[in-house]
Amino acid sequence: MEQRQLTGKWYLKKTFWGKYKLMVEVKSSKWDDQSYGNGGGSYSLERIFYMNARKSDLIELGINCA
């Protein structure tokens, strides 16, 4: 299970072919269960990185790409 949260930062990335991709900054952490079945485990450290935006990201951030 992965938790994914948008930070609100974004930018346009120009591709080699002259098109643009919208990149959003994402804060993510994964469930790390060392003792599977014993009720233990916790979330791993948060990672912050940029990834291609999903349609739901555009709606959440209020970005109009018309």
Side-chain angles (χ1 to χ4, degrees), residues 25-65:
E25 189 177 53
V26 176
K27 192 186 307 182
S28 175
S29 60
K30 260 189 171 176
W31 180 254
D32 185 23
D33 194 355
Q34 298 292 333
S35 57
Y36 182 73
N38 294 332
S42 63
Y43 280 98
S44 62
L45 296 175
E46 290 182 341
R47 296 182 309 135
I48 298 177
F49 56 94
Y50 280 90
M51 66 180 294
N52 290 336
R54 301 176 184 168
K55 288 182 183 179
S56 60
D57 297 340
L58 301 178
I59 294 168
E60 188 175 333
L61 293 173
I63 300 172
N64 186 4
C65 294

Side-chain angles (χ1 to χ4, degrees), residues 1-34:
M1 174 186 263
E2 185 172 341
Q3 286 186 340
R4 183 177 179 274
Q5 179 182 7
L6 297 175
T7 63
K9 296 180 184 177
W10 58 275
Y11 72 94
L12 289 174
K13 178 181 179 181
K14 189 172 183 178
T15 64
F16 179 76
W17 304 107
K19 296 186 178 189
Y20 289 93
K21 289 184 181 180
L22 184 68
M23 306 296 286
V24 293
E25 189 177 53
V26 176
K27 192 186 307 182
S28 175
S29 60
K30 260 189 171 176
W31 180 254
D32 185 23
D33 194 355
Q34 298 292 333

